[in-house]
Amino acid sequence: MFDIMGMVYGALNAVFNPILAMDPNPSNPALTVLIIAFIVSLITTVANKYLVDQDALNEKQAKMKEFNKELREAQKRGDGKKMAQLQAQQTEMMKENTAMMSEQFKPMIVTFVPIILIFFWMRASTIHDLVIILPKTVYWVTLTPLWHVLGSFFYGGQATIPYGIGWLLWYMICTFGMSQILRKFLGFKQGF
């Protein structure tokens, strides 16, 4: 029998170890995580671009927003006739909402497995030991103390380096930023 995960890790090592080796600080590979975040963001953004009809999605979201606005206004005014009319349309709107959500899941079906494998590789590599020291304002703005409390609750231990974050939070910050830039570059009309 052959080791499938060993083959996957071997392939990921072949792709990411050269990037890790080029990192100016291989013992604390912040740049490597930034590059991996860019690669993952590029994969997910391109999948969203080509697997989801963005115009139809934007149209459905605008229609849903308008419907909800009309419903709230009718409720505020106490307009029973308008509310009954809108509630009759609500079933159709729920169907459209379900269709919209299933449309948004298409890219996730394609990207989920590769991203999980990359996460497992990062967890098993030297990236796992990464610690980034953030400026004080960034530390507080990103709610890092909250993440530390949650991490200590779920995983035990505690943050020992002041203003430090681990690889996962650094990856999340990088991915969020890269995704926003790539979405703007690829012409998405709305944000994350």
Side-chain angles (χ1 to χ4, degrees):
M1 230 178 201
F2 60 129
D3 181 21
I4 294 176
M5 286 308 288
M7 291 172 42
V8 169
Y9 281 133
L12 290 173
N13 281 333
V15 171
F16 292 120
N17 278 347
I19 298 170
L20 192 57
M22 291 187 308
D23 199 306
N25 188 359
S27 64
N28 200 22
L31 182 61
T32 302
V33 174
L34 180 69
I35 292 169
I36 292 171
F38 174 76
I39 292 168
V40 170
S41 295
L42 182 64
I43 290 168
T44 56
T45 306
V46 168
N48 270 301
K49 177 76 173 174
Y50 293 108
L51 295 175
V52 177
D53 183 356
Q54 296 297 320
D55 293 330
L57 183 66
N58 289 338
E59 184 180 309
K60 286 178 184 177
Q61 286 176 337
K63 188 175 178 182
M64 184 65 71
K65 186 177 179 181
E66 182 62 31
F67 175 80
N68 288 331
K69 181 181 173 186
E70 285 182 33
L71 186 60
R72 279 192 308 273
E73 288 175 359
Q75 287 173 340
K76 282 182 184 177
R77 290 190 313 259
D79 188 349
K81 184 178 177 183
K82 182 70 173 176
M83 283 178 53
Q85 179 187 11
L86 290 171
Q87 286 174 346
Q89 294 176 354
Q90 196 166 18
T91 313
E92 183 63 34
M93 294 305 292
M94 294 302 281
K95 286 180 186 176
E96 283 192 34
N97 194 30
T98 303
M100 183 174 66
M101 287 175 58
S102 66
E103 183 79 14
Q104 290 174 316
F105 275 116
K106 283 182 191 176
M108 190 172 79
I109 293 168
V110 174
T111 61
F112 182 73
V113 171
I115 290 171
I116 291 298
L117 292 174
I118 290 170
F119 264 57
F120 282 137
W121 179 85
M122 290 171 68
R123 176 84 168 92
S125 73
T126 58
I127 289 173
H128 178 339
D129 299 325
L130 173 70
V131 174
I132 300 286
I133 307 300
L134 295 175
K136 288 181 182 181
T137 52
V138 175
Y139 178 81
W140 291 106
V141 168
T142 57
L143 304 175
T144 302
L146 173 66
W147 298 113
H148 284 171
V149 168
L150 289 174
S152 66
F153 178 74
F154 287 110
Y155 303 111
Q158 58 184 345
T160 57
I161 299 174
Y163 306 110
I165 61 171
W167 72 274
L168 186 56
L169 187 54
W170 175 242
Y171 169 83
M172 289 168 53
I173 291 170
C174 294
T175 303
F176 181 75
M178 291 293 172
S179 293
Q180 294 303 313
I181 292 167
L182 288 169
R183 290 176 73 85
K184 197 59 119 172
F185 181 73
L186 290 174
F188 282 76
K189 291 181 177 65
Q190 50 184 314
F192 211 52

